[in-house]
Amino acid sequence: MIEQVADPLQESGFAKVVLELEVNNHPGVMSHICNLFARRAFNVEGILCMPMSDPRRSRIWLLVFEDQRLEQMVLQVEKLVDVLSVRRHGAEHEVFERLEKFFY
Amino acid sequence: MIQMTGAELILRLLERQGIRTVAGIPGGAILPLYDALSGSKLIRHVLARHEQGAGFIAQGMARVSGRPEVCFASSGPGATNLVTAIADAHLDSIPMVAITGQVPLSMIGTDAFQEADIYGMTVPVTKHNFLVRSAAELLQVIPDAFRLAMSGRPGPVLIDIPKDVQTQVVSFDAFPLPAIPDAAPAGDPDAIEEAARLINAAERPVLYVGGGAVHSGAAQQIVALAERAGLPTTMTLMALGVMPIDHPLSLGMLGMHGARHTNFILEESDLLVCVGARFDDRAIGKAAQFCPRAKIVHIDIDPSELHKIRNAHVAINGDVGAVLDALLPRVNVRLRKRWLSHVGSLKSRFPLHLPGLDDPRSHYGLVQAVASVVGDEAVVTTDVGQHQMWAAQAYPFRRPRQWLTSGGFGTMGFGLPVAIGAALAVPARTVVCFTGDGSFKMNIQELATLAEEGLNVKIVLMNNNSLGLVYQQQSLFYGKRVFASKYRGAPDFLKIAEGFGIGGVDLDTAQNPRAALVQALSGPGPCLIHASIDREEFVYPMVPPGGANTEMIGG
């Protein structure tokens, strides 16, 4: 059929958002999450993942920019079978800030 | 204590799940599973000639039955050949479980012979996927795969199973129960109340129905709602058949190749009730200019579809059939004389033009001639291209699951293997596959499968010896610079079919084409019906690229 003529991509905003995901801990979970953001052309600025006290679960922290597609992204993340919960935090969340000394 | 190999366990779990037919192709990494399959008394194997064919055969069974069906492929190229059929199922929300063999666990990641990371490759095109690391995991993974494939919005699930997991012996106490779908979210009662209020208050409402209504089995509720509230009803390509095309409230298909009046009526609507549809660009054209004055009520089982393309004034997350059951008693009976008489006048002023209906050798005439012979009981599949749109426009669909077409992914090569799958699922029905010469060549090897199974599949080949829809676009939108869309060679399809052991009839040379068609469609087993179509016949009307739905050309 015929090609799409799309509207230009929305510029992302500058406000940062921190997403906290609780996920099943097995190889492939990170692949599902990173792939979802990549294929929907949504940039992930930062990512952290560690097992939780219950080793069957991991917690993933994602740093993204606020964007009008973020709502849709969160809904898509929630649909992933291995994602158990998604919480949204503002830029004031310190998890990435405290790591900055390892990067600068 | 029960003890068996992983391969035997997979077979028992498939049998307990009610699987009776599996399509596939064996190869090194899945041979233990095939060895177990050879001993199954319940599951019949259909040997495809290409793994994509196997994937589409499973899809054909699933599209007719509405429940997950299964295909098998080996590792590496076998698995990658499945990917197109899986992606197609993903975009049209078809429940399917694809099982692939993988190299042994210890060899994963070593670039072993026929190794491919099919788990990684299918992440974006499956609802979920699994790489099984022990035979014991199968007790959980197999039922989970079926549960996921059929719960909520259906979709494909892939299970990659290394060869040594298939041969590993596993002991367990009892088989897990066969999977059943998770309960769908119950629609929010306040939102349902508000939706009823909007419908009752609307002056010019339109019901916009998508494939979700087919998946939910909600055709009866759709028609009941339309009749009760006096809603003119349009269907997407995926929903054709939900409301019989000759129902007085039916507006037929909307969008790129819908009738002019359908798109004009939508333009004037003040309320759009969207049920199980997803505002796809082929259906709505330019999103911002689609139903510009309408409030939107959107009912969908997938929460991520709500507000995705267009913000809904009332969004209801739930199974559309259940939500409509709750909505119906709250909706007032309305005759809507003024709106419906206006709709009627738009219908008569801007009808769908189907020239040549009397001539079974013309494209529309052929579609209707076939329909008049095989009736409403037949299943209709298509490939992708002009013939698909002509069939969508001209075939009188009157029941859900009558029409199987590749909507979201638009996969050429879909029609023949899906027709085989449909015929396997409902052997009592005639299955008609409308195809074009471009599409037909993309899975033509499945003629061998069809001949072997002797299924009641009638292939109607509309041959214009070109990639017709590409030719159409180049002619209309690329300054008539026709390139790579006309074939220079012209294969003799009747001879090809004959070579595979399938008889045919050529309408081009038939003395009485209508009689020849009746004879071909009425006989038992497979048959190829060939008709040459003028390359200059285009699909009209048409919304040009990037246009709004009201800016249609032709027709």
Side-chain angles (χ1 to χ4, degrees):
Chain A
M1 298 205 253
I2 63 182
E3 84 269 37
Q4 270 83 359
V5 178
D7 295 326
L9 271 181
Q10 308 281 341
E11 292 282 321
S12 58
F14 293 104
K16 284 180 182 170
V17 175
V18 174
L19 299 178
E20 177 186 359
L21 279 55
E22 200 178 310
V23 302
N24 288 323
N25 179 13
H26 69 79
V29 176
M30 288 283 278
S31 160
H32 274 113
I33 290 164
C34 295
N35 193 303
L36 176 62
F37 279 83
R39 72 174 181 265
R40 290 186 179 259
F42 202 106
N43 202 33
V44 176
E45 296 295 313
I47 184 163
L48 276 173
C49 179
M50 293 276 280
M52 294 166 62
S53 52
D54 173 356
R56 291 170 305 167
R57 306 257 183 276
S58 288
R59 179 164 286 132
I60 296 179
W61 296 92
L62 298 171
L63 180 66
V64 295
F65 282 116
E66 172 85 72
D67 177 316
Q68 68 180 61
R69 297 171 303 155
L70 186 59
E71 286 299 327
Q72 172 64 204
M73 265 327 295
V74 171
L75 288 170
Q76 294 290 348
V77 173
E78 284 172 342
K79 277 202 322 189
L80 293 177
V81 171
D82 284 320
V83 173
L84 307 169
S85 71
V86 181
R87 286 174 63 197
R88 243 173 111 152
H89 305 277
E92 72 286 350
H93 198 281
E94 59 181 0
V95 58
F96 285 98
E97 275 175 23
R98 282 163 63 179
L99 278 169
E100 275 180 7
K101 65 173 186 237
F102 292 98
F103 291 86
Y104 293 106
Chain B
M1 192 64 97
I2 311 170
Q3 204 175 47
M4 61 180 66
T5 65
E8 286 165 356
L9 175 56
I10 296 165
L11 255 296
R12 296 294 91 75
L13 292 173
L14 294 181
E15 288 170 355
R16 291 169 55 86
Q17 192 66 46
I19 297 302
R20 292 297 174 265
T21 308
V22 169
I25 302 185
I30 200 166
L31 275 177
L33 185 56
Y34 268 82
D35 197 30
L37 178 56
S38 73
S40 172
K41 292 188 176 62
L42 293 175
I43 300 183
R44 165 179 175 219
H45 181 256
V46 173
L47 178 61
R49 298 308 196 263
H50 184 289
E51 287 83 357
Q52 190 187 112
F56 279 129
I57 289 170
Q59 264 213 43
M61 296 190 286
R63 283 180 188 249
V64 167
S65 69
R67 47 166 233 174
E69 297 287 355
V70 177
C71 57
F72 286 172
S74 193
S75 63
T80 56
N81 278 346
L82 271 186
V83 172
T84 300
I86 294 172
D88 188 281
H90 190 51
L91 279 214
D92 285 348
S93 308
I94 304 302
M96 173 164 124
V97 174
I99 295 178
T100 50
Q102 180 55 281
V103 301
L105 277 172
S106 60
M107 293 175 78
I108 289 180
T110 65
D111 304 321
F113 177 65
Q114 292 196 330
E115 179 186 359
D117 173 19
I118 197 64
Y119 176 84
M121 259 179 256
T122 53
V123 166
V125 294
T126 51
K127 213 174 151 187
H128 193 56
N129 58 6
F130 299 93
L131 171 54
V132 182
R133 284 158 204 281
S134 71
E137 272 179 46
L138 292 165
L139 293 162
Q140 180 76 39
V141 165
I142 304 276
D144 270 356
F146 280 94
R147 182 178 54 80
L148 290 167
M150 60 184 156
S151 296
R153 181 180 185 171
V157 176
L158 178 128
I159 313 173
D160 197 26
I161 308 176
K163 191 175 184 179
D164 50 349
V165 172
Q166 297 169 44
T167 51
Q168 190 183 21
V169 174
V170 56
S171 311
F172 53 97
D173 292 329
F175 284 105
L177 290 174
I180 53 166
D182 295 333
D188 170 11
D190 292 342
I192 292 172
E193 199 67 55
E194 178 63 9
R197 204 187 58 74
L198 285 181
I199 293 169
N200 293 336
E203 290 297 323
R204 299 182 306 280
V206 175
L207 184 56
Y208 156 44
V209 182
V214 177
H215 300 315
S216 167
Q220 214 182 349
Q221 291 95 319
I222 293 283
V223 175
L225 174 67
E227 288 175 350
R228 186 174 173 91
L231 306 177
T233 302
T234 183
M235 289 162 277
T236 67
L237 182 70
M238 296 306 297
L240 293 177
V242 167
M243 176 181 272
I245 196 68
D246 25 26
H247 191 288
L249 288 167
S250 169
L251 302 176
M253 183 171 72
L254 77 161
M256 180 170 282
H257 297 298
R260 280 176 177 265
H261 66 256
T262 311
N263 289 335
F264 289 150
I265 290 162
L266 281 159
E267 167 86 3
E268 290 189 25
S269 67
D270 67 351
L271 178 71
L272 186 68
V273 183
C274 170
V275 181
R278 59 185 177 90
F279 293 88
D280 175 70
D281 52 276
R282 296 300 143 122
I284 71 164
K286 220 177 201 168
Q289 287 172 39
F290 178 65
C291 301
R293 286 176 283 278
K295 288 193 170 168
I296 293 173
V297 172
H298 194 175
I299 306 169
D300 206 292
I301 199 161
D302 179 354
S304 69
E305 286 302 338
L306 303 169
H307 312 296
K308 183 178 84 173
I309 304 289
R310 285 286 296 273
N311 273 316
H313 298 78
V314 178
I316 304 170
N317 178 216
D319 171 68
V320 297
V323 171
L324 291 181
D325 282 336
L327 181 65
L328 265 167
R330 294 175 168 79
V331 169
N332 297 340
V333 175
R334 289 280 298 269
L335 295 177
R336 288 194 207 279
K337 277 193 187 145
R338 185 197 286 203
W339 174 228
L340 290 180
S341 82
H342 182 60
V343 165
S345 79
L346 284 172
K347 270 181 160 177
S348 52
R349 271 165 66 204
F350 305 102
L352 189 60
H353 288 290
L354 302 173
L357 272 188
D358 297 334
D359 178 6
R361 273 194 284 231
S362 81
H363 49 295
Y364 289 128
L366 180 53
V367 171
Q368 287 227 334
V370 170
S372 69
V373 178
V374 297
D376 296 341
E377 290 308 302
V379 175
V380 178
T381 79
T382 73
D383 265 297
V384 170
Q386 290 177 316
H387 70 275
Q388 177 191 28
M389 291 300 123
W390 288 328
Q393 291 173 326
Y395 201 99
F397 295 106
R398 297 197 178 95
R399 60 178 181 87
R401 301 196 185 278
Q402 182 183 12
W403 161 248
L404 316 181
T405 198
S406 173
F409 209 47
T411 311
M412 294 171 71
F414 172 98
L416 174 56
V418 167
I420 293 172
L424 288 165
V426 282
R429 293 185 192 272
T430 300
V431 181
V432 175
C433 167
F434 287 102
T435 184
D437 56 297
S439 291
F440 190 37
K441 279 178 275 189
M442 291 203 186
N443 269 324
I444 199 163
Q445 77 287 342
E446 298 309 324
L447 284 175
T449 315
L450 176 58
E452 212 165 74
E453 299 291 328
L455 298 164
N456 188 14
V457 172
K458 317 297 186 200
I459 302 158
V460 180
L461 171 58
M462 296 190 182
N463 183 1
N464 57 9
N465 205 35
S466 61
L467 294 162
L469 216 42
V470 175
Y471 180 81
Q472 171 169 346
Q473 285 172 63
Q474 288 173 338
S475 301
L476 295 175
F477 307 116
Y478 288 84
K480 295 197 165 56
R481 290 182 300 281
V482 172
F483 181 72
S485 56
K486 287 198 284 190
Y487 296 118
R488 281 173 290 160
D492 183 335
F493 289 102
L494 288 157
K495 269 194 188 151
I496 292 172
E498 196 193 330
F500 279 106
I502 292 174
V505 46
D506 193 353
L507 297 189
D508 297 358
T509 55
Q511 292 272 320
N512 180 344
R514 202 170 282 277
L517 188 65
V518 171
Q519 199 182 4
L521 290 169
S522 313
C527 181
L528 175 69
I529 297 155
H530 175 272
S532 292
I533 298 292
D534 184 351
R535 188 181 286 144
E536 301 308 320
E537 291 292 353
F538 290 172
V539 185
Y540 286 126
M542 178 178 197
V543 177
N549 270 357
T550 47
E551 300 161 4
M552 306 191 86
I553 55 172

